[in-house]
Amino acid sequence: MRDNDRSMRHRIPLLCAAALLAHAHGAAAQAPVPLDAPTPEAPATLEAPPLRPGPSVVVELGAGGLTADAAAELSVQHAPDMAQAAAATARAEAAYREARVGLFPQLQLQASYTRLSRVNLPPFDIGGGTVIDNPFPQILNNYLLRASVSVPVTQIFMSTLPGMRAASLGREAAELQAAQQERMLRIQGREAYFQLMQARARVTVAQQSVRVLEALVDTTRAMVERGVLARAELSGIQARLSSIRVVLMVAEGDAVIAEVALVQRIGGRAGDHVVLGEAAEVSDVSIPAALDAGQVDAALEARPEAAALRALVEVRRAEVRVHRGTQLPQVALVGAIDYANPNQRVFPQTAQFRHTWSLGVNVTWSPNAFAAGHHRAAGAEATLVEAEAQLSGLERAITIEVHQADAAVRAAAASIGAAREAVAAAQETYEARRLRYEAGAGTSNDVLDAEMAARQAEVDLVDAYINYRLAQARRSYALGVAEEAAP
């Protein structure tokens, strides 16, 4: 009966990947828990009831735990980068509205008051020795109310309209940059989610290994007491158990760090605990159809950063036209209404308010402005060439990224089958060597090596599942399409 009990203790299944992956989200990173521990019940909402001081649970609305999709969404909602992107978009919108003001006639209102000093006016000599006092009055208080309007015809067509186009394209580029920032934050949120899942899975594998070695220590101790084995065999297994416990501590520390990183990304607080609502295991592994040129071209069109850079190229072209427009003579229609006391155009002057108006056309040209515009246009052309080169480089990088992401999905899908076979083979090898060891026909080193191989195979299987899901998300990101849901 005692031997049967020991045998049952040793038959802790090394192929714990299924149970591990199904329950890894319920395992706390801070302390070992059974693989079949129930998942904590999720509160109704993320914000209500409010998070209490100290450890609490961060879960997705109405679900049994946080999902990868929810982590991606929360990463966007709580990212400071999105506030910066929104500010950049608002700044671009303000620049467009400022440029649009140039379409309207330029209205100017002026009011002034001037106090003049009194002067000695010479008398008038009207001939024949007759001299009379100067008849013109000295009006010392001067008032002026003026309204003027100017329509800069040349500037509207040569500078304002191209400037408006540049500002409009700049606004579009800012919006596309914000969209790209959002997509990047989503993929980063998924990566943080899967990193926590991977870290917790490794904790569970290490816990399982500790249990296996503890059972092996008990078996070996009993065999030493019966004189079947030398005490050195027990010492070797105990040393391996101690090293695995260190591995477990390191894995738990990595899980804590991964949890803190995810909590900060999704807007939680220090001490919050994340309950993962998904298992790493993928039930349906599929290899996508072969890429074609159409998918690559579609990715170049769909990627927001490429579209933003194309808009930026058009902005640079419009800026070149704006600077070239400043080299031309400037034509403007001007008009003004003066309401003055005294009015300088009324003779003789009287201390009364009189109104007058004027209309005209102004044509101005400055060789200095021409030279400055020429150099600014040359600088803008160089900036245009730089933007075009950046666009070309980005398109090449996207093309490479698409093919790399597609190859990564194919490799990850293939690795899952190989990892499953490796786990089965490692379990079988461990069971065979353990039985031989208990029968006195094997050594403890054989059992320990088999246990290490089995543990590594389980870790590799977990990594294969998570790498596959990450590869899927990155492939969707590279293609510029909606992220593929996990099967």
Side-chain angles (χ1 to χ4, degrees), residues 239-274:
R240 177 65 63 87
L241 176 59
S242 298
S243 66
I244 294 302
R245 283 174 174 161
V246 173
V247 171
L248 175 59
M249 292 179 61
V250 173
E252 289 175 341
D254 291 341
V256 170
I257 294 172
E259 184 176 45
V260 170
L262 179 59
V263 166
Q264 293 300 310
R265 184 170 289 278
I266 63 177
R269 302 183 317 175
D272 289 346
H273 174 59
V274 177

PDB file of all heavy atoms in Angstrom, residues 239-274:
ATOM      1  N   ALA A 239      19.582  18.563  -3.983  1.00  0.00           N
ATOM      2  CA  ALA A 239      20.248  19.724  -4.577  1.00  0.00           C
ATOM      3  C   ALA A 239      19.492  20.218  -5.800  1.00  0.00           C
ATOM      4  O   ALA A 239      19.326  21.431  -6.009  1.00  0.00           O
ATOM      5  CB  ALA A 239      21.684  19.355  -4.949  1.00  0.00           C
ATOM      6  N   ARG A 240      19.013  19.262  -6.609  1.00  0.00           N
ATOM      7  CA  ARG A 240      18.219  19.681  -7.781  1.00  0.00           C
ATOM      8  C   ARG A 240      16.921  20.348  -7.349  1.00  0.00           C
ATOM      9  O   ARG A 240      16.496  21.336  -7.956  1.00  0.00           O
ATOM     10  CB  ARG A 240      17.926  18.461  -8.644  1.00  0.00           C
ATOM     11  CG  ARG A 240      17.039  18.775  -9.859  1.00  0.00           C
ATOM     12  CD  ARG A 240      17.727  19.721 -10.850  1.00  0.00           C
ATOM     13  NE  ARG A 240      18.901  19.090 -11.395  1.00  0.00           N
ATOM     14  CZ  ARG A 240      18.891  18.288 -12.468  1.00  0.00           C
ATOM     15  NH1 ARG A 240      17.760  18.034 -13.086  1.00  0.00           N
ATOM     16  NH2 ARG A 240      20.022  17.761 -12.899  1.00  0.00           N
ATOM     17  N   LEU A 241      16.294  19.835  -6.306  1.00  0.00           N
ATOM     18  CA  LEU A 241      15.069  20.452  -5.796  1.00  0.00           C
ATOM     19  C   LEU A 241      15.332  21.889  -5.339  1.00  0.00           C
ATOM     20  O   LEU A 241      14.537  22.802  -5.604  1.00  0.00           O
ATOM     21  CB  LEU A 241      14.504  19.623  -4.651  1.00  0.00           C
ATOM     22  CG  LEU A 241      13.265  20.191  -3.943  1.00  0.00           C
ATOM     23  CD1 LEU A 241      12.117  20.379  -4.933  1.00  0.00           C
ATOM     24  CD2 LEU A 241      12.847  19.293  -2.781  1.00  0.00           C
ATOM     25  N   SER A 242      16.451  22.099  -4.666  1.00  0.00           N
ATOM     26  CA  SER A 242      16.776  23.463  -4.219  1.00  0.00           C
ATOM     27  C   SER A 242      16.959  24.398  -5.409  1.00  0.00           C
ATOM     28  O   SER A 242      16.511  25.558  -5.382  1.00  0.00           O
ATOM     29  CB  SER A 242      18.048  23.435  -3.367  1.00  0.00           C
ATOM     30  OG  SER A 242      17.868  22.653  -2.199  1.00  0.00           O
ATOM     31  N   SER A 243      17.626  23.917  -6.457  1.00  0.00           N
ATOM     32  CA  SER A 243      17.837  24.767  -7.629  1.00  0.00           C
ATOM     33  C   SER A 243      16.521  25.071  -8.337  1.00  0.00           C
ATOM     34  O   SER A 243      16.311  26.189  -8.820  1.00  0.00           O
ATOM     35  CB  SER A 243      18.810  24.084  -8.594  1.00  0.00           C
ATOM     36  OG  SER A 243      18.242  22.902  -9.142  1.00  0.00           O
ATOM     37  N   ILE A 244      15.596  24.095  -8.361  1.00  0.00           N
ATOM     38  CA  ILE A 244      14.299  24.332  -8.992  1.00  0.00           C
ATOM     39  C   ILE A 244      13.486  25.332  -8.174  1.00  0.00           C
ATOM     40  O   ILE A 244      12.734  26.144  -8.727  1.00  0.00           O
ATOM     41  CB  ILE A 244      13.541  23.013  -9.172  1.00  0.00           C
ATOM     42  CG1 ILE A 244      14.280  22.128 -10.184  1.00  0.00           C
ATOM     43  CG2 ILE A 244      12.118  23.266  -9.669  1.00  0.00           C
ATOM     44  CD1 ILE A 244      14.457  22.764 -11.539  1.00  0.00           C
ATOM     45  N   ARG A 245      13.629  25.285  -6.859  1.00  0.00           N
ATOM     46  CA  ARG A 245      12.933  26.285  -6.039  1.00  0.00           C
ATOM     47  C   ARG A 245      13.460  27.696  -6.339  1.00  0.00           C
ATOM     48  O   ARG A 245      12.698  28.662  -6.300  1.00  0.00           O
ATOM     49  CB  ARG A 245      13.106  25.940  -4.568  1.00  0.00           C
ATOM     50  CG  ARG A 245      12.203  24.780  -4.126  1.00  0.00           C
ATOM     51  CD  ARG A 245      12.476  24.336  -2.722  1.00  0.00           C
ATOM     52  NE  ARG A 245      11.510  23.335  -2.292  1.00  0.00           N
ATOM     53  CZ  ARG A 245      11.681  22.498  -1.275  1.00  0.00           C
ATOM     54  NH1 ARG A 245      12.834  22.548  -0.568  1.00  0.00           N
ATOM     55  NH2 ARG A 245      10.748  21.625  -0.949  1.00  0.00           N
ATOM     56  N   VAL A 246      14.746  27.806  -6.606  1.00  0.00           N
ATOM     57  CA  VAL A 246      15.291  29.103  -7.016  1.00  0.00           C
ATOM     58  C   VAL A 246      14.694  29.517  -8.363  1.00  0.00           C
ATOM     59  O   VAL A 246      14.320  30.685  -8.566  1.00  0.00           O
ATOM     60  CB  VAL A 246      16.825  29.034  -7.099  1.00  0.00           C
ATOM     61  CG1 VAL A 246      17.385  30.334  -7.700  1.00  0.00           C
ATOM     62  CG2 VAL A 246      17.419  28.789  -5.725  1.00  0.00           C
ATOM     63  N   VAL A 247      14.585  28.551  -9.274  1.00  0.00           N
ATOM     64  CA  VAL A 247      13.954  28.836 -10.574  1.00  0.00           C
ATOM     65  C   VAL A 247      12.524  29.323 -10.367  1.00  0.00           C
ATOM     66  O   VAL A 247      12.060  30.266 -11.027  1.00  0.00           O
ATOM     67  CB  VAL A 247      13.995  27.590 -11.473  1.00  0.00           C
ATOM     68  CG1 VAL A 247      13.144  27.799 -12.725  1.00  0.00           C
ATOM     69  CG2 VAL A 247      15.419  27.245 -11.849  1.00  0.00           C
ATOM     70  N   LEU A 248      11.816  28.694  -9.441  1.00  0.00           N
ATOM     71  CA  LEU A 248      10.446  29.109  -9.149  1.00  0.00           C
ATOM     72  C   LEU A 248      10.408  30.541  -8.624  1.00  0.00           C
ATOM     73  O   LEU A 248       9.544  31.341  -9.022  1.00  0.00           O
ATOM     74  CB  LEU A 248       9.818  28.146  -8.140  1.00  0.00           C
ATOM     75  CG  LEU A 248       8.422  28.515  -7.629  1.00  0.00           C
ATOM     76  CD1 LEU A 248       7.435  28.615  -8.786  1.00  0.00           C
ATOM     77  CD2 LEU A 248       7.944  27.509  -6.583  1.00  0.00           C
ATOM     78  N   MET A 249      11.322  30.887  -7.722  1.00  0.00           N
ATOM     79  CA  MET A 249      11.358  32.251  -7.201  1.00  0.00           C
ATOM     80  C   MET A 249      11.615  33.264  -8.309  1.00  0.00           C
ATOM     81  O   MET A 249      10.982  34.326  -8.361  1.00  0.00           O
ATOM     82  CB  MET A 249      12.431  32.356  -6.116  1.00  0.00           C
ATOM     83  CG  MET A 249      12.127  31.576  -4.845  1.00  0.00           C
ATOM     84  SD  MET A 249      13.457  31.720  -3.617  1.00  0.00           S
ATOM     85  CE  MET A 249      13.445  33.485  -3.337  1.00  0.00           C
ATOM     86  N   VAL A 250      12.538  32.932  -9.203  1.00  0.00           N
ATOM     87  CA  VAL A 250      12.826  33.841 -10.317  1.00  0.00           C
ATOM     88  C   VAL A 250      11.599  33.983 -11.213  1.00  0.00           C
ATOM     89  O   VAL A 250      11.244  35.093 -11.641  1.00  0.00           O
ATOM     90  CB  VAL A 250      14.038  33.328 -11.124  1.00  0.00           C
ATOM     91  CG1 VAL A 250      14.232  34.166 -12.393  1.00  0.00           C
ATOM     92  CG2 VAL A 250      15.300  33.362 -10.273  1.00  0.00           C
ATOM     93  N   ALA A 251      10.935  32.861 -11.472  1.00  0.00           N
ATOM     94  CA  ALA A 251       9.740  32.903 -12.321  1.00  0.00           C
ATOM     95  C   ALA A 251       8.643  33.729 -11.665  1.00  0.00           C
ATOM     96  O   ALA A 251       7.936  34.498 -12.342  1.00  0.00           O
ATOM     97  CB  ALA A 251       9.249  31.481 -12.599  1.00  0.00           C
ATOM     98  N   GLU A 252       8.473  33.585 -10.365  1.00  0.00           N
ATOM     99  CA  GLU A 252       7.461  34.386  -9.664  1.00  0.00           C
ATOM    100  C   GLU A 252       7.810  35.874  -9.729  1.00  0.00           C
ATOM    101  O   GLU A 252       6.920  36.725  -9.885  1.00  0.00           O
ATOM    102  CB  GLU A 252       7.357  33.920  -8.215  1.00  0.00           C
ATOM    103  CG  GLU A 252       6.701  32.554  -8.055  1.00  0.00           C
ATOM    104  CD  GLU A 252       6.718  32.059  -6.628  1.00  0.00           C
ATOM    105  OE1 GLU A 252       7.537  32.580  -5.831  1.00  0.00           O
ATOM    106  OE2 GLU A 252       5.925  31.166  -6.307  1.00  0.00           O
ATOM    107  N   GLY A 253       9.096  36.194  -9.595  1.00  0.00           N
ATOM    108  CA  GLY A 253       9.499  37.595  -9.722  1.00  0.00           C
ATOM    109  C   GLY A 253       9.227  38.144 -11.107  1.00  0.00           C
ATOM    110  O   GLY A 253       8.740  39.277 -11.256  1.00  0.00           O
ATOM    111  N   ASP A 254       9.514  37.338 -12.125  1.00  0.00           N
ATOM    112  CA  ASP A 254       9.230  37.774 -13.498  1.00  0.00           C
ATOM    113  C   ASP A 254       7.732  37.981 -13.703  1.00  0.00           C
ATOM    114  O   ASP A 254       7.312  38.918 -14.403  1.00  0.00           O
ATOM    115  CB  ASP A 254       9.750  36.738 -14.490  1.00  0.00           C
ATOM    116  CG  ASP A 254      11.274  36.680 -14.516  1.00  0.00           C
ATOM    117  OD1 ASP A 254      11.911  37.650 -14.055  1.00  0.00           O
ATOM    118  OD2 ASP A 254      11.824  35.668 -14.999  1.00  0.00           O
ATOM    119  N   ALA A 255       6.921  37.114 -13.091  1.00  0.00           N
ATOM    120  CA  ALA A 255       5.466  37.253 -13.227  1.00  0.00           C
ATOM    121  C   ALA A 255       4.980  38.530 -12.551  1.00  0.00           C
ATOM    122  O   ALA A 255       4.079  39.216 -13.067  1.00  0.00           O
ATOM    123  CB  ALA A 255       4.763  36.034 -12.629  1.00  0.00           C
ATOM    124  N   VAL A 256       5.562  38.856 -11.397  1.00  0.00           N
ATOM    125  CA  VAL A 256       5.177  40.098 -10.716  1.00  0.00           C
ATOM    126  C   VAL A 256       5.526  41.306 -11.584  1.00  0.00           C
ATOM    127  O   VAL A 256       4.724  42.243 -11.738  1.00  0.00           O
ATOM    128  CB  VAL A 256       5.872  40.190  -9.348  1.00  0.00           C
ATOM    129  CG1 VAL A 256       5.683  41.581  -8.735  1.00  0.00           C
ATOM    130  CG2 VAL A 256       5.329  39.130  -8.400  1.00  0.00           C
ATOM    131  N   ILE A 257       6.712  41.294 -12.158  1.00  0.00           N
ATOM    132  CA  ILE A 257       7.125  42.418 -13.015  1.00  0.00           C
ATOM    133  C   ILE A 257       6.211  42.532 -14.225  1.00  0.00           C
ATOM    134  O   ILE A 257       5.787  43.636 -14.608  1.00  0.00           O
ATOM    135  CB  ILE A 257       8.591  42.221 -13.450  1.00  0.00           C
ATOM    136  CG1 ILE A 257       9.521  42.308 -12.233  1.00  0.00           C
ATOM    137  CG2 ILE A 257       8.989  43.267 -14.493  1.00  0.00           C
ATOM    138  CD1 ILE A 257      10.956  41.945 -12.544  1.00  0.00           C
ATOM    139  N   ALA A 258       5.889  41.392 -14.847  1.00  0.00           N
ATOM    140  CA  ALA A 258       5.006  41.417 -16.015  1.00  0.00           C
ATOM    141  C   ALA A 258       3.621  41.925 -15.644  1.00  0.00           C
ATOM    142  O   ALA A 258       2.987  42.656 -16.408  1.00  0.00           O
ATOM    143  CB  ALA A 258       4.915  40.019 -16.626  1.00  0.00           C
ATOM    144  N   GLU A 259       3.145  41.569 -14.443  1.00  0.00           N
ATOM    145  CA  GLU A 259       1.834  42.038 -14.003  1.00  0.00           C
ATOM    146  C   GLU A 259       1.839  43.542 -13.760  1.00  0.00           C
ATOM    147  O   GLU A 259       0.906  44.251 -14.150  1.00  0.00           O
ATOM    148  CB  GLU A 259       1.408  41.294 -12.744  1.00  0.00           C
ATOM    149  CG  GLU A 259       0.005  41.663 -12.279  1.00  0.00           C
ATOM    150  CD  GLU A 259      -0.435  40.840 -11.092  1.00  0.00           C
ATOM    151  OE1 GLU A 259       0.371  40.680 -10.146  1.00  0.00           O
ATOM    152  OE2 GLU A 259      -1.572  40.360 -11.105  1.00  0.00           O
ATOM    153  N   VAL A 260       2.886  44.025 -13.110  1.00  0.00           N
ATOM    154  CA  VAL A 260       2.985  45.469 -12.868  1.00  0.00           C
ATOM    155  C   VAL A 260       3.009  46.227 -14.190  1.00  0.00           C
ATOM    156  O   VAL A 260       2.347  47.262 -14.341  1.00  0.00           O
ATOM    157  CB  VAL A 260       4.244  45.780 -12.036  1.00  0.00           C
ATOM    158  CG1 VAL A 260       4.492  47.287 -11.990  1.00  0.00           C
ATOM    159  CG2 VAL A 260       4.095  45.229 -10.624  1.00  0.00           C
ATOM    160  N   ALA A 261       3.763  45.705 -15.160  1.00  0.00           N
ATOM    161  CA  ALA A 261       3.835  46.368 -16.465  1.00  0.00           C
ATOM    162  C   ALA A 261       2.463  46.423 -17.127  1.00  0.00           C
ATOM    163  O   ALA A 261       2.074  47.456 -17.693  1.00  0.00           O
ATOM    164  CB  ALA A 261       4.832  45.641 -17.362  1.00  0.00           C
ATOM    165  N   LEU A 262       1.711  45.332 -17.056  1.00  0.00           N
ATOM    166  CA  LEU A 262       0.382  45.315 -17.672  1.00  0.00           C
ATOM    167  C   LEU A 262      -0.577  46.230 -16.922  1.00  0.00           C
ATOM    168  O   LEU A 262      -1.362  46.964 -17.540  1.00  0.00           O
ATOM    169  CB  LEU A 262      -0.155  43.880 -17.704  1.00  0.00           C
ATOM    170  CG  LEU A 262      -1.554  43.716 -18.294  1.00  0.00           C
ATOM    171  CD1 LEU A 262      -1.613  44.232 -19.731  1.00  0.00           C
ATOM    172  CD2 LEU A 262      -1.997  42.255 -18.237  1.00  0.00           C
ATOM    173  N   VAL A 263      -0.534  46.189 -15.595  1.00  0.00           N
ATOM    174  CA  VAL A 263      -1.423  47.043 -14.796  1.00  0.00           C
ATOM    175  C   VAL A 263      -1.190  48.512 -15.118  1.00  0.00           C
ATOM    176  O   VAL A 263      -2.144  49.294 -15.289  1.00  0.00           O
ATOM    177  CB  VAL A 263      -1.214  46.770 -13.292  1.00  0.00           C
ATOM    178  CG1 VAL A 263      -1.865  47.862 -12.446  1.00  0.00           C
ATOM    179  CG2 VAL A 263      -1.801  45.416 -12.916  1.00  0.00           C
ATOM    180  N   GLN A 264       0.065  48.915 -15.214  1.00  0.00           N
ATOM    181  CA  GLN A 264       0.359  50.312 -15.537  1.00  0.00           C
ATOM    182  C   GLN A 264      -0.121  50.665 -16.937  1.00  0.00           C
ATOM    183  O   GLN A 264      -0.616  51.776 -17.179  1.00  0.00           O
ATOM    184  CB  GLN A 264       1.866  50.561 -15.413  1.00  0.00           C
ATOM    185  CG  GLN A 264       2.393  50.470 -13.992  1.00  0.00           C
ATOM    186  CD  GLN A 264       1.727  51.478 -13.068  1.00  0.00           C
ATOM    187  OE1 GLN A 264       1.652  52.666 -13.376  1.00  0.00           O
ATOM    188  NE2 GLN A 264       1.226  51.003 -11.941  1.00  0.00           N
ATOM    189  N   ARG A 265       0.001  49.725 -17.856  1.00  0.00           N
ATOM    190  CA  ARG A 265      -0.395  50.007 -19.232  1.00  0.00           C
ATOM    191  C   ARG A 265      -1.908  50.162 -19.371  1.00  0.00           C
ATOM    192  O   ARG A 265      -2.377  50.961 -20.184  1.00  0.00           O
ATOM    193  CB  ARG A 265       0.117  48.900 -20.154  1.00  0.00           C
ATOM    194  CG  ARG A 265      -0.164  49.151 -21.628  1.00  0.00           C
ATOM    195  CD  ARG A 265       0.561  48.174 -22.498  1.00  0.00           C
ATOM    196  NE  ARG A 265       1.998  48.437 -22.489  1.00  0.00           N
ATOM    197  CZ  ARG A 265       2.588  49.355 -23.233  1.00  0.00           C
ATOM    198  NH1 ARG A 265       1.872  50.128 -24.035  1.00  0.00           N
ATOM    199  NH2 ARG A 265       3.890  49.530 -23.177  1.00  0.00           N
ATOM    200  N   ILE A 266      -2.669  49.402 -18.583  1.00  0.00           N
ATOM    201  CA  ILE A 266      -4.128  49.449 -18.723  1.00  0.00           C
ATOM    202  C   ILE A 266      -4.763  50.443 -17.755  1.00  0.00           C
ATOM    203  O   ILE A 266      -5.994  50.489 -17.623  1.00  0.00           O
ATOM    204  CB  ILE A 266      -4.750  48.065 -18.528  1.00  0.00           C
ATOM    205  CG1 ILE A 266      -4.511  47.540 -17.114  1.00  0.00           C
ATOM    206  CG2 ILE A 266      -4.214  47.082 -19.562  1.00  0.00           C
ATOM    207  CD1 ILE A 266      -5.166  46.189 -16.840  1.00  0.00           C
ATOM    208  N   GLY A 267      -3.947  51.207 -17.050  1.00  0.00           N
ATOM    209  CA  GLY A 267      -4.492  52.261 -16.197  1.00  0.00           C
ATOM    210  C   GLY A 267      -4.831  51.827 -14.794  1.00  0.00           C
ATOM    211  O   GLY A 267      -5.622  52.506 -14.128  1.00  0.00           O
ATOM    212  N   GLY A 268      -4.267  50.718 -14.306  1.00  0.00           N
ATOM    213  CA  GLY A 268      -4.520  50.289 -12.939  1.00  0.00           C
ATOM    214  C   GLY A 268      -3.615  50.998 -11.950  1.00  0.00           C
ATOM    215  O   GLY A 268      -2.918  51.956 -12.286  1.00  0.00           O
ATOM    216  N   ARG A 269      -3.659  50.505 -10.699  1.00  0.00           N
ATOM    217  CA  ARG A 269      -2.853  51.100  -9.649  1.00  0.00           C
ATOM    218  C   ARG A 269      -1.875  50.072  -9.117  1.00  0.00           C
ATOM    219  O   ARG A 269      -2.045  48.862  -9.309  1.00  0.00           O
ATOM    220  CB  ARG A 269      -3.732  51.584  -8.483  1.00  0.00           C
ATOM    221  CG  ARG A 269      -4.785  52.591  -8.856  1.00  0.00           C
ATOM    222  CD  ARG A 269      -5.539  53.036  -7.615  1.00  0.00           C
ATOM    223  NE  ARG A 269      -5.859  51.895  -6.754  1.00  0.00           N
ATOM    224  CZ  ARG A 269      -6.424  52.027  -5.563  1.00  0.00           C
ATOM    225  NH1 ARG A 269      -6.711  53.224  -5.096  1.00  0.00           N
ATOM    226  NH2 ARG A 269      -6.701  50.966  -4.832  1.00  0.00           N
ATOM    227  N   ALA A 270      -0.883  50.570  -8.416  1.00  0.00           N
ATOM    228  CA  ALA A 270       0.078  49.668  -7.794  1.00  0.00           C
ATOM    229  C   ALA A 270      -0.655  48.760  -6.811  1.00  0.00           C
ATOM    230  O   ALA A 270      -1.462  49.217  -6.005  1.00  0.00           O
ATOM    231  CB  ALA A 270       1.157  50.472  -7.076  1.00  0.00           C
ATOM    232  N   GLY A 271      -0.387  47.474  -6.888  1.00  0.00           N
ATOM    233  CA  GLY A 271      -1.048  46.511  -6.022  1.00  0.00           C
ATOM    234  C   GLY A 271      -2.232  45.820  -6.654  1.00  0.00           C
ATOM    235  O   GLY A 271      -2.751  44.854  -6.096  1.00  0.00           O
ATOM    236  N   ASP A 272      -2.698  46.306  -7.800  1.00  0.00           N
ATOM    237  CA  ASP A 272      -3.804  45.647  -8.489  1.00  0.00           C
ATOM    238  C   ASP A 272      -3.350  44.287  -9.007  1.00  0.00           C
ATOM    239  O   ASP A 272      -2.210  44.115  -9.431  1.00  0.00           O
ATOM    240  CB  ASP A 272      -4.304  46.504  -9.650  1.00  0.00           C
ATOM    241  CG  ASP A 272      -5.039  47.742  -9.173  1.00  0.00           C
ATOM    242  OD1 ASP A 272      -5.372  47.781  -7.978  1.00  0.00           O
ATOM    243  OD2 ASP A 272      -5.258  48.656  -9.980  1.00  0.00           O
ATOM    244  N   HIS A 273      -4.272  43.341  -8.991  1.00  0.00           N
ATOM    245  CA  HIS A 273      -3.987  41.992  -9.473  1.00  0.00           C
ATOM    246  C   HIS A 273      -4.828  41.725 -10.720  1.00  0.00           C
ATOM    247  O   HIS A 273      -6.022  41.999 -10.739  1.00  0.00           O
ATOM    248  CB  HIS A 273      -4.298  40.956  -8.395  1.00  0.00           C
ATOM    249  CG  HIS A 273      -4.171  39.542  -8.863  1.00  0.00           C
ATOM    250  ND1 HIS A 273      -2.987  39.038  -9.364  1.00  0.00           N
ATOM    251  CD2 HIS A 273      -5.073  38.532  -8.930  1.00  0.00           C
ATOM    252  CE1 HIS A 273      -3.173  37.780  -9.706  1.00  0.00           C
ATOM    253  NE2 HIS A 273      -4.432  37.456  -9.455  1.00  0.00           N
ATOM    254  N   VAL A 274      -4.197  41.207 -11.745  1.00  0.00           N
ATOM    255  CA  VAL A 274      -4.871  40.944 -13.013  1.00  0.00           C
ATOM    256  C   VAL A 274      -5.307  39.489 -13.070  1.00  0.00           C
ATOM    257  O   VAL A 274      -4.484  38.582 -12.872  1.00  0.00           O
ATOM    258  CB  VAL A 274      -3.950  41.261 -14.212  1.00  0.00           C
ATOM    259  CG1 VAL A 274      -4.645  40.914 -15.520  1.00  0.00           C
ATOM    260  CG2 VAL A 274      -3.554  42.728 -14.192  1.00  0.00           C
TER     261      VAL A 274
END
